[in-house]
Amino acid sequence: MIQLDHVTKRYRGGRGILDLSFEVHEGEVFGYLGPNGAGKSTTIRTLMGFLRPDSGLAKIHNRDCWEDAAKIHEHIGYLPGEIGFLEGMTGIGFLDVIAGMRKLSRLEYRDELIRRLDFDARTPIRKMSKGMKQKVGIVAAFMHKPSVLILDEPTSGLDPLMQQLFLDLVLEAKSRGATVLMSSHVFAEVERVCDRVGIIRDGRLVAVEDVRRLRETQRKVFTVHLREGLQAETLVAAGCRVTNAQVTKSGTNEVDVEVQGDYNAFVRALAQCDVANIEVRELNLEEVFMHYYASDTAHANDDATGVSGKGGIGE
Amino acid sequence: MSKALFRSMFTINARAMVSYGFGMTIYQWLFIWVYPTLTKSSAMNSLLRSMPQGLLKVIGYNNGIGQLADYMAGEFYGLIYIIIFAIFAVTIAGKLVAHLVDNLAMAYLLSTPISRVRLAVTQAATLVTGTAIIAAFCTLGGILGARWFAPHTHLDAGRFIELNLVGFLIFAVVSAYSFLFSCVSRDERTALSLSSGLTLVFYAFNTVGLLGTHLAWMRRLSLFAAYNAQNIVHGNAHVVLVSTSMAAVALLLFAAAAIGFRRRELAL
């Protein structure tokens, strides 16, 4: 449905995207994550036909995003990362213009969205708060029930209640069969609605992961309090994935160990240590992906944490 | 062309169109209102007679002020009209594309099934409509003003309409190159600098070119040389030729703008 095939788009400053390939399947919600400046917006602008790739091909509905932009836009709902409106208009006036340009005659869903998002659309846009403008943007993106939604950081500016409602709207669109590409910084929302996530860093796709599978094979983190510092090395030597080690105020050594499946090895390693306490928690998606966000030093830790982008790119 | 977009763009810019049009009409009326007093004063005519021909040309009085149309051509259409109309064309052209790209509203307009070319054509249509409205204000304003404020003088309505028609087409060209800059410049400020810069150069070349025969070549480089108000009111201008060529140039420039906008990359 949405395809990027070896797309490269470089800006003069060197930023941009490099040889990017991935596909979002029909009916799928794809989370697009990455630090600021990684190339998320460049990807989205390329998909919207605002930028022409230096090389490679971006396609939606099997049409070239640059050449056939207008044709593709019939089926697209787009929420930009930074919203600008026509000046001197009310929210409803603006929505009317967009509906008119789309030749949208049935406005029931638009009105339903305005009601559910609970805002006064007759307010002049210049008097609107950031959250309210975001709501106008959401209505403009969803009102024609598009088959493809491209959403750039859609929940920014929304209060927690409205963030929930927005995620419900995404899930409703998905249940209608819509394909969604959604960039985000909020892991909790990605975890809730996305089927797969792609991580981009420095213009390159570093991983594509299946969210359900990640959840199923969720690692657990054991925080082990050791009475002697050197024993942390014992754990590492025994093959445990030590993600964090620090000395607490009380003088004990706190070591975070990620365990996935092989508990026996972990227990055997622990048996060699003087353990003061053990806490256990599940790793959330944020921690799973945080090392992709960090700088190059994170690469060096990939092996230690055992979370790598292997498998799944372009799947 | 998108009707919905045209309607909203027209509504957004209608206030500017009407205020400029009305402002220019008021200006015209002031000039017409003092005209009867001026003709009665022989001092004014003898003053004009005493001035060198070159200077009279520059200020647009080479035919004296014996007739209202001469006076209007020199006093209003030679200077104020050009300046105000140019400011209107340059700013509205900037607002219709470059400004919308700058403030990111263009992202929304382009996320609809309206192609960039259609969008550019719609915005160009809004601009030309605005230019026509200003021209209509000036035409009607002048004719009504002459009737109300200088009832005992004669104004050749046909020639006066020709004067305004050519004026409209000249400013359709100013609008068109301003629109081209608006479509291809990286931001609104650049677009405004380029279009106002070029307009000023045209104006300066026209004015300097009138000062002496050795400078006449400069006029040939100026768009405003095609707008010889005095000749039009005296029926000495090639109105049809000038009008058709201006219309053709404006169309070409608008087409270039649409193509430029289609090809450019937008960081929206």
Side-chain angles (χ1 to χ4, degrees):
Chain A
M1 183 59 85
I2 301 176
Q3 289 166 284
L4 283 118
D5 188 12
H6 298 286
V7 174
T8 295
K9 178 74 207 172
R10 278 285 182 207
Y11 294 119
R12 252 175 246 148
R15 286 194 180 277
I17 49 177
L18 200 70
D19 198 29
L20 195 65
S21 297
F22 69 86
E23 194 174 330
V24 184
H25 308 298
E26 193 169 347
E28 186 181 38
V29 181
F30 188 86
Y32 198 42
L33 312 181
N36 292 328
K40 297 191 296 292
S41 294
T42 306
T43 313
I44 286 176
R45 284 170 190 162
T46 308
L47 285 171
M48 288 304 294
F50 299 156
L51 295 177
R52 187 198 338 226
D54 298 337
S55 62
L57 205 59
K59 290 202 283 188
I60 294 178
H61 278 299
N62 246 341
R63 287 175 187 271
D64 186 319
C65 291
W66 173 260
E67 293 296 334
D68 296 329
K71 204 86 195 139
I72 291 173
H73 292 167
E74 282 175 22
H75 312 284
I76 285 193
Y78 174 53
L79 182 67
E82 276 185 52
I83 302 188
F85 292 107
L86 299 175
E87 282 148 18
M89 286 192 133
T90 61
I92 197 79
F94 176 75
L95 291 170
D96 279 341
V97 175
I98 300 295
M101 289 173 77
R102 289 197 167 279
K103 296 198 187 309
L104 184 70
S105 51
R106 296 176 64 89
L107 298 172
E108 297 88 350
Y109 190 53
R110 180 196 76 177
D111 297 337
E112 182 193 325
L113 287 170
I114 293 173
R115 205 174 52 247
R116 286 172 69 185
L117 286 163
D118 190 27
F119 70 103
D120 183 2
R122 286 163 305 179
T123 313
I125 288 171
R126 68 190 150 80
K127 288 189 179 167
M128 286 185 175
S129 66
K130 184 174 187 319
M132 212 159 154
K133 286 181 188 167
Q134 191 73 7
K135 289 177 182 179
V136 177
I138 291 170
V139 177
F142 282 76
M143 65 180 176
H144 52 293
K145 296 189 176 174
S147 62
V148 176
L149 278 157
I150 294 181
L151 311 165
D152 198 354
E153 295 182 24
T155 53
S156 68
L158 295 183
D159 64 47
L161 205 66
M162 284 301 148
Q163 288 181 13
Q164 285 300 317
L165 177 64
F166 172 77
L167 296 179
D168 289 343
L169 292 177
V170 173
L171 291 174
E172 283 169 28
K174 178 182 155 69
S175 66
R176 279 200 304 269
T179 308
V180 184
L181 178 104
M182 168 174 145
S183 87
S184 178
H185 283 302
V186 187
F187 291 90
E189 69 187 29
V190 169
E191 198 165 7
R192 206 184 131 202
V193 297
C194 294
D195 300 309
R196 284 192 306 152
V197 285
I199 316 279
I200 183 173
R201 214 185 67 191
D202 296 333
R204 292 172 190 273
L205 198 68
V206 290
V208 175
E209 304 276 5
D210 187 310
V211 173
R212 202 183 53 200
R213 205 181 63 208
L214 273 180
R215 225 179 273 137
E216 280 168 6
T217 57
Q218 194 81 294
R219 295 168 183 85
K220 282 189 177 148
V221 178
F222 292 87
T223 304
V224 185
H225 297 253
L226 299 169
R227 290 208 175 87
E228 284 178 46
L230 287 173
Q231 288 171 341
E233 287 163 23
T234 314
L235 290 174
V236 175
C240 294
R241 291 167 182 152
V242 174
T243 55
N244 186 28
Q246 59 175 8
V247 181
T248 60
K249 279 180 192 161
S250 58
T252 59
N253 283 275
E254 223 177 85
V255 182
D256 286 347
V257 183
E258 278 182 23
V259 183
Q260 184 188 1
D262 191 4
Y263 291 98
N264 285 328
F266 174 57
V267 173
R268 273 197 292 274
L270 271 190
Q272 299 167 37
C273 306
D274 187 359
V275 178
N277 190 16
I278 300 181
E279 295 158 30
V280 61
R281 65 192 166 86
E282 291 204 334
L283 208 59
N284 61 28
L285 201 61
E286 183 164 348
E287 284 165 298
V288 173
F289 286 117
M290 196 42 96
H291 75 288
Y292 291 120
Y293 271 64
S295 60
D296 286 339
T297 51
H299 271 315
N301 292 335
D302 278 2
D303 294 334
T305 57
V307 184
S308 73
K310 65 174 184 265
I313 293 185
E315 65 184 14
Chain B
M1 177 91 177
S2 157
K3 265 192 225 160
L5 181 63
F6 179 81
R7 215 178 302 127
S8 78
M9 284 299 148
F10 186 76
T11 318
I12 290 172
N13 293 296
R15 190 187 290 179
M17 294 173 189
V18 173
S19 348
Y20 272 89
F22 201 63
M24 282 167 88
T25 308
I26 297 286
Y27 232 116
Q28 260 186 329
W29 286 353
L30 276 173
F31 281 112
I32 297 172
W33 183 57
V34 296
Y35 177 73
T37 337
L38 276 182
T39 46
K40 278 179 205 141
S41 129
S42 57
M44 180 71 181
N45 271 314
S46 54
L47 174 71
L48 285 178
R49 265 196 298 276
S50 70
M51 285 169 127
Q53 196 60 26
L55 185 61
L56 285 174
K57 258 193 190 173
V58 172
I59 59 171
Y61 281 124
N62 43 328
N63 286 306
I65 53 163
Q67 286 190 15
L68 176 59
D70 279 333
Y71 166 78
M72 290 297 289
E75 194 62 56
F76 182 74
Y77 287 89
L79 181 68
I80 309 261
Y81 175 81
I82 293 182
I83 291 170
I84 301 181
F85 217 153
I87 294 173
F88 171 82
V90 167
T91 50
I92 300 291
K95 265 187 155 190
L96 284 168
V97 180
H99 181 72
L100 297 178
V101 174
D102 269 9
N103 84 355
L104 306 176
M106 190 58 86
Y108 264 115
L109 304 182
L110 287 182
S111 71
T112 64
I114 305 294
S115 71
R116 290 199 199 182
V117 170
R118 263 182 83 190
L119 188 133
V121 168
T122 309
Q123 302 300 75
T126 312
L127 183 57
V128 173
T129 310
T131 312
I133 286 176
I134 305 278
F137 259 101
C138 290
T139 315
L140 279 177
I143 292 170
L144 290 177
R147 197 164 289 174
W148 294 338
F149 302 112
H152 303 298
T153 53
H154 169 71
L155 179 74
D156 184 338
R159 289 275 155 76
F160 189 72
I161 289 169
E162 275 178 15
L163 178 68
N164 282 283
L165 175 72
V166 178
F168 160 65
L169 290 165
I170 294 277
F171 281 93
V173 174
V174 177
S175 299
Y177 66 67
S178 304
F179 190 72
L180 172 62
F181 290 134
S182 182
C183 280
V184 299
S185 299
R186 93 191 121 87
D187 54 33
E188 190 184 8
R189 190 191 284 190
T190 315
L192 291 183
S193 313
L194 289 171
S195 31
S196 53
L198 182 62
T199 311
L200 268 176
V201 166
F202 279 154
Y203 188 75
F205 273 31
N206 184 46
T207 312
V208 176
L210 285 166
L211 285 174
T213 43
H214 62 293
L215 293 168
W217 62 271
M218 289 183 93
R219 276 202 86 201
R220 272 182 229 125
L221 298 175
S222 171
L223 167 71
F224 298 119
Y227 192 53
N228 191 328
Q230 292 278 353
N231 283 354
I232 297 172
V233 295
H234 285 275
N236 300 330
H238 305 286
V239 172
V240 177
L241 179 69
V242 172
S243 302
T244 43
S245 35
M246 286 303 130
V249 170
L251 275 175
L252 279 177
L253 285 167
F254 278 124
I259 292 167
F261 189 60
R262 164 77 186 91
R263 289 194 182 159
R264 84 177 272 204
E265 303 205 49
L266 295 159
L268 291 171

